[in-house]
Amino acid sequence: GDSVTQMEGPVTLSEEAFLTINCTYTATGYPSLFWYVQYPGEGLQLLLKATKADDKGSNKGFEATYRKETTSFHLEKGSVQVSDSAVYFCALRHGGSNYKLTFGKGTLLTVNP
Amino acid sequence: NAGVTQTPKFQVLKTGQSMTLQCAQDMNHEYMSWYRQDPGMGLRLIHYSVGAGITDQGEVPNGYNVSRSTTEDFPLRLLSAAPSQTSVYFCASSYVPDRARNTEAFFGQGTRLTVV
């Protein structure tokens, strides 16, 4: 079945540091890939997505590229801010009988001033 | 737009009690689903629905029932609460295109349930 493996963390960075959160997946066919973010006490929000190989998703300074050859979708940001502190989830979804999102376990990011 | 609304936000139950978690969306989405979030486990699918009158089981359905009488509402029922059902529950909705691609899932703010 489908699975997503992501760096578990927690990750602690200083403001303006470079961020990478690794994500790899196992799936049949050609899934769409997503990064969701969960701020404290809130639900999940879509951060960015990519639907086919070599697509780059980007939003709020975050980027991730769909790499089919390495089955990866690593999240990067060049300069993190305190407001980026949250839990980040990598996920995949494709057509099938239940259209479900398959999530990684989440990575807690804390950015210190 | 309200998006996806879940109630209640917090709930404490005694073992054996039943309750219903409410979920409503105002985006006319066909697809609705319930997930539970547990530490170190990510989110796991409980039940889902692809339209009114159609529901099916996800990966962890035991102890939960759902129904979908309208497009807007998708309540989750705990039949006889157990401590193992202590978790944070999220409802999500989205469109269902031809092959479920390019579909952002919108999440509610969650219900934190404790079973004692």
Side-chain angles (χ1 to χ4, degrees), chain A residues 18-36:
Chain A
F18 184 86
L19 169 71
T20 299
I21 301 177
N22 290 337
C23 171
T24 58
Y25 68 90
T26 302
T28 56
Y30 301 92
S32 295
L33 302 176
F34 305 87
W35 277 100
Y36 279 85

Side-chain angles (χ1 to χ4, degrees), chain A residues 40-92:
Chain A
E42 297 187 9
L44 279 73
Q45 305 172 25
L46 181 67
L47 180 60
L48 52 85
K49 66 183 180 186
T51 58
K52 62 183 186 296
D54 300 324
D55 268 3
K56 178 185 282 188
S58 60
N59 186 27
K60 299 181 181 179
F62 291 89
E63 293 183 340
T65 301
Y66 190 144
R67 300 284 188 204
K68 186 157 179 63
E69 65 276 12
T70 55
T71 61
S72 65
F73 193 54
H74 305 320
L75 182 69
E76 295 182 338
K77 187 174 185 182
S79 176
V80 294
Q81 306 300 313
V82 172
S83 57
D84 294 327
S85 298
V87 180
Y88 292 82
F89 291 93
C90 185
L92 69 82

Side-chain angles (χ1 to χ4, degrees), chain B residues 9-29:
Chain B
K9 286 189 169 50
F10 302 94
Q11 183 71 48
V12 178
L13 288 179
K14 294 182 179 178
T15 296
Q17 288 185 314
S18 62
M19 79 159 293
T20 299
L21 279 62
Q22 301 292 344
C23 175
Q25 53 91 10
D26 62 358
M27 297 171 280
N28 203 32
H29 287 160

Side-chain angles (χ1 to χ4, degrees), chain A residues 30 51 93 95 98-99 105, chain B residues 31 40 48 99-103:
Chain A
Y30 301 92
T51 58
R93 189 181 200 190
N98 65 17
Y99 309 112
K105 293 183 179 180
Chain B
Y31 185 86
Y48 67 97
R99 292 197 289 174
R101 290 167 166 249
N102 298 330
T103 53

Side-chain angles (χ1 to χ4, degrees), chain B residues 52-94:
Chain B
I54 306 169
T55 64
D56 209 341
Q57 297 180 351
E59 52 188 305
V60 288
N62 291 340
Y64 308 95
N65 274 354
V66 291
S67 59
R68 185 94 180 269
S69 56
T70 67
T71 299
E72 294 79 18
D73 299 301
F74 190 46
L76 178 73
R77 296 183 186 84
L78 279 69
L79 309 173
S80 177
S84 61
Q85 294 178 303
T86 294
S87 187
V88 181
Y89 291 85
F90 288 100
C91 179
S93 75
S94 70

